[in-house]
Amino acid sequence: MPKLLSLLKNKYFLSTTAFLVWMLFFDRNDLLSQYEYRSQLQKLEQEKQFYTQEIAKVQKDLDELTTNKDKLEKFAREHYLMKRDNEDVFVIIEETIKE
């Protein structure tokens, strides 16, 4: 018990303890903030990976469309409903029934 009392009277121990408590809980960069920053960083890295893959996929599609006329025609027909002069286009839209 006297050892604990002498430890509590030590100004260096008290200032170090107060500093640690302040840095761990009350500072702008406390533990909770660091955890939130880390989780946000992981989420952003996952999004970056997803968008990098999407960019690669779109770049591949663009290369195919610029080099292959059949692919370009298929793309124009499917996405922009383009047709030749002697063709008719029928667009079928599926409706979902709400219960």
Side-chain angles (χ1 to χ4, degrees), residues 3 13 28 31 38 40 42 44-45 47 55 59 61 65 69 71 75 77 86-87 93 95 97-98:
K3 193 172 189 178
F13 175 76
R28 182 172 157 224
L31 288 177
R38 257 205 225 251
Q40 185 179 13
Q42 289 174 352
L44 290 173
E45 286 175 348
E47 287 181 13
I55 288 171
Q59 187 67 37
D61 290 343
L65 290 176
K69 285 210 176 253
K71 292 263 186 186
F75 181 81
R77 287 174 180 265
N86 59 355
E87 293 179 336
I93 300 173
E95 294 181 10
I97 300 172
K98 296 180 181 179

Side-chain angles (χ1 to χ4, degrees), residues 52-65:
T52 304
Q53 291 172 351
E54 287 296 313
I55 288 171
K57 195 182 307 180
V58 168
Q59 187 67 37
K60 179 182 166 243
D61 290 343
L62 179 64
D63 290 341
E64 287 180 0
L65 290 176

Side-chain angles (χ1 to χ4, degrees), residues 64-81:
E64 287 180 0
L65 290 176
T66 55
T67 57
N68 191 347
K69 285 210 176 253
D70 294 333
K71 292 263 186 186
L72 179 63
E73 183 178 342
K74 180 181 176 186
F75 181 81
R77 287 174 180 265
E78 290 176 354
H79 290 90
Y80 298 110
L81 304 176

